[in-house]
């Protein structure tokens, strides 16, 4: 991280692909991940270990993890809904395992068919499994507080409940927690307030990242708040592909291209080469014909005379 | 302003309509402006006094100003490119006159066919005209620093040049200056930096507003920076209609609906009733069939259980 100010965690191969009906061929996924990593993306959530009959789009996650692990320097992240998924993730060799815990219990039951208590049991089992591995082979375990900013089913989610579950996740053995605006309800004031509150509850080093959606156009505005308060890991999806299929009305992660442009323009180094990122978007578009992509910077182009914070590989603008 | 934290200046009837080829019937413009004002929008840039052969879309501006002046409490703003336009604006009875001065002289010559020196001459003539009016009948004169964040023709615009022209506009008789991201080049760090620099040059009360575009998806992110630094007037366009026809690639003001949602969610009172604003959008859509509108909040709907900062007229959510 010495030559980066912000870590972009690309979640398109997981959150994006799980939200569309098309199934991307394994070879295309590998090409996408390789291209993104070559562009400088240092962490990619490459898939999810869920039963293939639930998300056939991600049935090849083990093979994708194996491929991603061959890319030097890439942090290979996966999502798991439960202990069984974590076993598969450990077997595949993922560097980072994220398990979502929906603060809205109604959403949790709808999404993963488990209560808070059941999910915390799963987390404890995962933690025990990870601790049984040799030091150096233990994946990083993140508990992601989904619907932390509100829920399409329950409505307002009390901050007190977010803090209680953040503490519970850490006590269950997570290395850190994450805040996730699954429903696109977050606003910048709330991002600042909730981040500080979670820090008070579990410690500053135990929350470094946020997963934002652009459902109501607030994605990058919320990023500005997240940066102000001091978060350093930002989830985003190339072309804005994806969303939460279980939260009605919630669609679209924040767009990696627009995010990286903003950060680089602000003088914050992402380590990512923008032109190479735009080329990766073309690769994605070609692999998913007819699938809508979002993001304006690749269409408008970089500003004339633009100098990004990260040294770019080539500069013929 | 006592019951408002932020003033939304709706520029759709000017910046939006000048950027599309359709000519909205005068009656539809009046209905739009009346509905927006009834929703709580307190300032509307209702048109531009430019020759009808250049912008036939705005040829009825005098009639629109006359209508808007009949709406109690509405601040009626217009754009003028020169002294002649200002004479018409004064004759029509506009409350606020904005004249753009493009910091990029290349853009100024392309946009209004005048150099900086020529534009400042126009401003001086306008100021003299305004000062000749009885106190109480003098419109507020704003000099808008367009391309302040960069230019599609010149590229990087030196901040020093922005400050020099801000001072020159105030010396020429403006009541205040505004910052305008004509080209959608601005980033949040730049918004903070440039606002503070202009304040140092001309005084804090002499810059209260910013005109942002969403060309690269950065509009609301830049608003967060503008709010942080302390700006209180934000230009926006209903449905994101419009842009700058003279800056290639620049399209789309920030969207009033998404902006008002963000501010209200942050606890900042805009004085605007969101459902009434969404109804006004429907009016606009019906009056401009086939014209694309932008903005996500009206499509996604307000969050379940959402309580805006401004007391709403009805609450059946």
């Amino acid at each position: 991280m010495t030559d980066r100010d912000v870590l972009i965690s690309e979640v398109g191969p997981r959150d994006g692909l799980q939200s569309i009906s098309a199934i991307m061929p394994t070879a295309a996924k590998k090409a996408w991940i390789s291209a993104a990593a070559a562009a400088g993306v240092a962490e990619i959530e490459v898939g999810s270990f869920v039963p293939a009959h639930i998300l056939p789009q991600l049935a090849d996650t083990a093979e994708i993890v194996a491929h991603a692990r061959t890319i030097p320097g890439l942090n290979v992240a996966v999502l798991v809904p439960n202990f069984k998924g974590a076993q598969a993730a450990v077997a595949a060799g993922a560097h980072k395992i994220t398990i979502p815990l929906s603060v809205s219990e109604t959403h949790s039951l709808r999404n993963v068919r488990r209560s808070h208590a059941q999910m915390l049991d799963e987390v404890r089992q995962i933690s025990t499994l990870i601790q049984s591995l040799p030091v150096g082979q233990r994946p990083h375990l993140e508990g992601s507080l989904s619907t932390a900013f509100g829920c399409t089913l329950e409505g307002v989610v009390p901050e007190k409940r977010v803090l209680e579950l953040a503490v519970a996740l850490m006590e269950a053995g997570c290395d850190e927690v994450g805040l996730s605006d699954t429903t696109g309800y977050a606003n910048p004031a709330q991002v600042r307030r909730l981040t500080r509150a979670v820090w008070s509850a579990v410690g500053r080093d135990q929350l470094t990242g946020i997963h934002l959606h652009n459902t109501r156009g607030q994605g990058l505005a919320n990023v500005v708040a997240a940066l102000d308060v001091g978060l350093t890991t930002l989830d985003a999806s190339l072309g804005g592909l994806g969303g939460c299929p279980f939260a009605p009305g919630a669609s679209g992660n924040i767009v990696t291209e627009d995010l990286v442009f903003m950060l680089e323009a602000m003088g914050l180094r992402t380590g990512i080469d923008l032109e190479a990122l735009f080329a990766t978007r073309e690769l994605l578009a070609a692999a998913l014909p007819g699938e809508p992509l979002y993001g304006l910077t690749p269409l408008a182009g970089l500003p004339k005379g633009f100098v990004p914070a990260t040294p770019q590989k080539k500069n013929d603008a």
Side-chain angles (χ1 to χ4, degrees), chain A residues 105-188:
Chain A
E105 198 155 22
T106 312
H107 181 260
S108 184
L109 290 165
R110 188 82 65 94
N111 193 8
V112 290
R113 297 169 194 277
R114 281 185 175 83
S115 67
H116 286 161
Q118 288 173 314
M119 284 302 288
L120 289 166
D121 271 344
E122 300 286 327
V123 174
R124 273 184 286 270
Q125 287 182 65
I126 296 170
S127 174
T128 302
L129 168 66
I130 289 174
Q131 295 307 315
S132 75
L133 300 172
V135 175
Q137 292 179 32
R138 296 175 183 166
H140 190 77
L141 178 60
E142 179 191 45
S144 176
L145 294 152
S146 54
T147 68
F149 297 91
C151 173
T152 48
L153 304 168
E154 289 192 3
V156 173
V157 165
E159 293 193 7
K160 185 169 170 292
R161 203 79 199 94
V162 180
L163 307 189
E164 287 166 357
L165 290 175
V167 170
L169 280 169
M170 292 306 297
E171 287 178 350
C174 285
D175 295 304
E176 68 174 308
V177 296
L179 285 174
S180 179
D181 181 23
T182 318
T183 56
Y185 276 22
N187 70 73

Side-chain angles (χ1 to χ4, degrees), chain A residues 66-107:
Chain A
H67 168 76
R69 274 179 54 93
T70 67
I71 302 171
L74 180 65
N75 204 41
V76 181
V78 295
L79 197 90
V80 306
N82 50 35
F83 175 64
K84 197 173 168 188
Q87 285 178 304
V90 165
H95 299 127
K96 179 179 172 182
I97 295 176
T98 297
I99 180 162
L101 174 63
S102 192
V103 182
S104 156
E105 198 155 22
T106 312
H107 181 260

Side-chain angles (χ1 to χ4, degrees), chain A residues 195-210:
Chain A
T195 300
R196 291 196 178 108
V198 173
W199 280 345
S200 296
V202 301
R204 188 166 172 137
D205 290 346
Q206 281 66 50
L207 168 66
T208 62
I210 191 162

Side-chain angles (χ1 to χ4, degrees), chain A residues 10 13 24 26-42 44 46 63-72 74 76 238 276-277 279-281 283 313:
Chain A
E10 170 64 46
M24 187 185 267
T26 302
K29 290 188 188 183
K30 291 180 182 175
W32 173 9
I33 289 163
S34 293
V41 177
I44 304 180
V46 300
E63 185 176 345
I64 299 297
V65 169
H67 168 76
R69 274 179 54 93
T70 67
I71 302 171
L74 180 65
V76 181
L238 195 68
L277 187 70
T280 308
R281 174 192 175 92
L283 208 84
K313 283 162 188 167

